[in-house]
Amino acid sequence: MSSDRNSWNIKASRTAHQAHNPIRAIVDKLKLNPNVTKPLISLSIGDPTIFGNFNTDPSINEAVSRQLDSYRANGYPPADGTLAARAAIAEANNDPSAPVAPNDVILANGCSGALEMCINVLCNEGQNILVPRPGFSLYASLAATRFVETRYYNLLPDEDWQVDLKQLESLIDEKTSAILVNNPSNPCGSVYSKEHLQAILAIAEKHHVPIIADEIYHDLVFKGRESYRMATLTDSVPILSVGGLAKKWLVPGWRIGWILIHDRHGAFAQEVHHGLHQLAQLILGPNSLIQAALPDILEKTPASFYQDTIKQLEKNVDLSIRELSKINGLKPVNPQGAMYMMVGIDIEKFKDIESDVDFGAKLLDEENVVCLPGQCFQYPNYIRLVLTPTYDRLEEAFKRLDEFCTRHRK
């Protein structure tokens, strides 16, 4: 064994070169103007806790505190999660149409970690995965690090962001490894009807393609809407459903996510079920303390906590639609759930705005308001707004948006 090396020449791996966050690539170009005296208002960060108006319920903190004081949750948990935690998740998500046992639950490092495991277990290099456009940028980023092609299926803004079913089906070929469906949606705030989800499932069944269902915002839906888990609507399509504590329980930093394995006709039994348990070995499970508190969190959090969260979001939605609809050149799409909304920009109505990225950069420079350009989600000439700031911050942000658009309109 020999080596011809005579100097340091260390290169990053292929995986590292593939890692890319399009949101960071765009946001890093947005520069704060040091001469702006108005306080910064960020409508860009999908963390509901940062403004202080969306706090977790005291009972949730107490559940963690009890485990902390017990000294019994400080060791390594099983790689796929403790039995008590998996049983609690199974019980909380069980449905007669889609039964779940503890062995069908895998805990992960947040919902993003759960998504990574799903893509890792279903996708091989050279295959492709279908993801929504506009959609959460992490999907494509995770696929890229596995050298998996991302194919985008279109969502239709004039139809409440429903899937263009014909275009979706046209993307499927023999190398398609999964269809990823995000419902309720980030960034759109859309909530699909039972019938629309069944139509997506019919395509998956026809072509024998499994579903990854990103359902982290399940139950975060507004008045008049209902959220359906995809697994409850089929007895034939195998589904990996991901969820977690982050949004509904308002603790994104606790990094607890999970995968629910909804097998059908043994499609996952031979390899995928075992493969997920094998992949779990790589991180030895998420935070042991929060796992120990999960049974109490899932069982004992009062319903009023969830209801109060929804009410505050609905109040912010009403304000957002009312004020943004008044601004000539902007077209808000009414959200039905989650914590976000998309707003169209009529570029032709502005004299010196070239794109959504240009809109966002100038808005920050002149008004100290941050929003994410639609290009972060593969959807130009839109911006995404977060609906979790305090009511008064939103009022001020929309006032500044109005003034900004007035200055730049033709």
Side-chain angles (χ1 to χ4, degrees), residues 81-149:
T82 66
L83 178 58
R86 290 186 287 116
I89 294 167
E91 177 64 25
N93 292 277
N94 208 24
D95 187 283
S97 302
V100 181
N103 195 47
D104 299 320
V105 178
I106 308 283
L107 270 83
N109 184 28
C111 189
S112 57
L115 287 164
E116 181 180 29
M117 290 175 68
C118 290
I119 290 173
N120 284 352
V121 80
L122 291 179
C123 305
N124 285 309
E125 181 174 344
Q127 292 186 305
N128 63 75
I129 183 171
L130 311 189
V131 306
R133 177 172 52 205
F136 187 35
S137 61
L138 181 68
Y139 306 146
S141 299
L142 291 174
T145 61
R146 297 298 177 264
F147 303 92
V148 173
E149 177 191 359

Side-chain angles (χ1 to χ4, degrees), residues 31-37 365:
K31 303 299 182 183
L32 288 172
N33 182 345
N35 298 317
V36 174
T37 57
D365 181 66

Side-chain angles (χ1 to χ4, degrees), residues 129-187:
I129 183 171
L130 311 189
V131 306
R133 177 172 52 205
F136 187 35
S137 61
L138 181 68
Y139 306 146
S141 299
L142 291 174
T145 61
R146 297 298 177 264
F147 303 92
V148 173
E149 177 191 359
T150 298
R151 294 184 178 179
Y152 293 98
Y153 62 85
N154 294 328
L155 309 184
L156 306 171
D158 294 332
E159 298 181 24
D160 292 328
W161 299 110
Q162 289 194 123
V163 176
D164 183 336
L165 296 170
K166 185 175 181 180
Q167 187 258 350
L168 166 68
E169 187 168 14
S170 73
L171 298 174
I172 298 173
D173 62 19
E174 69 280 357
K175 292 186 177 181
T176 301
S177 55
I179 301 171
L180 196 152
V181 180
N182 177 208
N183 180 59
S185 164
N186 172 16

Side-chain angles (χ1 to χ4, degrees), residues 97-409:
S97 302
V100 181
N103 195 47
D104 299 320
V105 178
I106 308 283
L107 270 83
N109 184 28
C111 189
S112 57
L115 287 164
E116 181 180 29
M117 290 175 68
C118 290
I119 290 173
N120 284 352
V121 80
L122 291 179
C123 305
N124 285 309
E125 181 174 344
Q127 292 186 305
N128 63 75
I129 183 171
L130 311 189
V131 306
R133 177 172 52 205
F136 187 35
S137 61
L138 181 68
Y139 306 146
S141 299
L142 291 174
T145 61
R146 297 298 177 264
F147 303 92
V148 173
E149 177 191 359
T150 298
R151 294 184 178 179
Y152 293 98
Y153 62 85
N154 294 328
L155 309 184
L156 306 171
D158 294 332
E159 298 181 24
D160 292 328
W161 299 110
Q162 289 194 123
V163 176
D164 183 336
L165 296 170
K166 185 175 181 180
Q167 187 258 350
L168 166 68
E169 187 168 14
S170 73
L171 298 174
I172 298 173
D173 62 19
E174 69 280 357
K175 292 186 177 181
T176 301
S177 55
I179 301 171
L180 196 152
V181 180
N182 177 208
N183 180 59
S185 164
N186 172 16
C188 301
S190 54
V191 179
Y192 293 150
S193 67
K194 178 190 293 186
E195 293 75 19
H196 190 60
L197 290 170
Q198 288 171 330
I200 298 170
L201 287 164
I203 293 172
E205 181 175 10
K206 176 181 176 181
H207 295 280
H208 296 91
V209 179
I211 296 278
I212 300 173
D214 182 354
E215 297 176 327
I216 185 66
Y217 296 99
H218 178 67
D219 284 343
L220 278 176
V221 298
F222 307 144
K223 188 175 181 180
R225 305 297 301 188
E226 187 171 352
S227 179
Y228 297 93
R229 294 192 184 278
M230 292 193 79
T232 66
L233 304 178
T234 178
D235 59 5
S236 57
V237 179
I239 294 174
L240 298 179
S241 169
V242 301
L245 289 182
K247 307 298 179 159
K248 183 177 176 180
W249 287 268
L250 305 178
V251 287
W254 289 9
R255 312 307 301 139
I256 293 288
W258 53 75
I259 303 169
L260 307 178
I261 306 171
H262 295 281
D263 200 357
R264 298 293 188 267
H265 309 296
F268 285 153
Q270 276 193 312
E271 293 196 8
V272 173
H273 205 294
H274 176 69
L276 283 169
H277 285 274
Q278 290 293 100
L279 287 170
Q281 306 287 333
L282 298 178
I283 63 166
L284 295 180
N287 188 297
S288 61
L289 183 64
I290 310 301
Q291 283 196 57
L294 263 178
D296 281 347
I297 292 172
L298 297 180
E299 181 183 349
K300 297 179 181 179
T301 302
S304 59
F305 163 71
Y306 309 122
Q307 294 161 0
D308 289 345
T309 299
I310 295 292
K311 286 177 182 177
Q312 189 175 175
L313 284 168
E314 288 177 332
K315 186 178 179 182
N316 286 357
V317 168
D318 291 343
L319 170 68
S320 302
I321 293 297
R322 183 174 69 248
E323 296 305 315
L324 292 170
S325 297
K326 297 175 184 176
I327 302 176
N328 187 12
L330 299 184
K331 184 181 179 181
V333 182
N334 202 349
Q336 303 156 341
M339 298 177 170
Y340 317 93
M341 66 184 298
M342 293 286 278
V343 180
I345 307 169
D346 190 345
I347 298 293
E348 296 302 315
K349 289 190 174 181
F350 296 96
K351 58 189 175 185
D352 53 0
I353 301 292
E354 298 177 357
S355 66
D356 53 298
V357 175
D358 189 35
F359 184 99
K362 287 175 176 172
L363 179 64
L364 175 60
D365 181 66
E366 298 173 25
E367 296 292 344
N368 223 15
V369 174
V370 188
C371 60
L372 285 185
Q375 289 186 39
C376 294
F377 310 98
Q378 300 291 318
Y379 215 77
N381 295 339
Y382 276 77
I383 53 174
R384 188 199 75 171
L385 304 182
V386 171
L387 298 168
T388 53
T390 57
Y391 195 89
D392 62 316
R393 280 190 179 93
L394 285 176
E395 284 183 312
E396 174 63 20
F398 298 149
K399 177 175 176 289
R400 296 187 202 175
L401 258 173
D402 189 15
E403 293 170 353
F404 173 82
C405 290
T406 298
R407 281 197 306 274
H408 289 276
R409 270 195 303 269

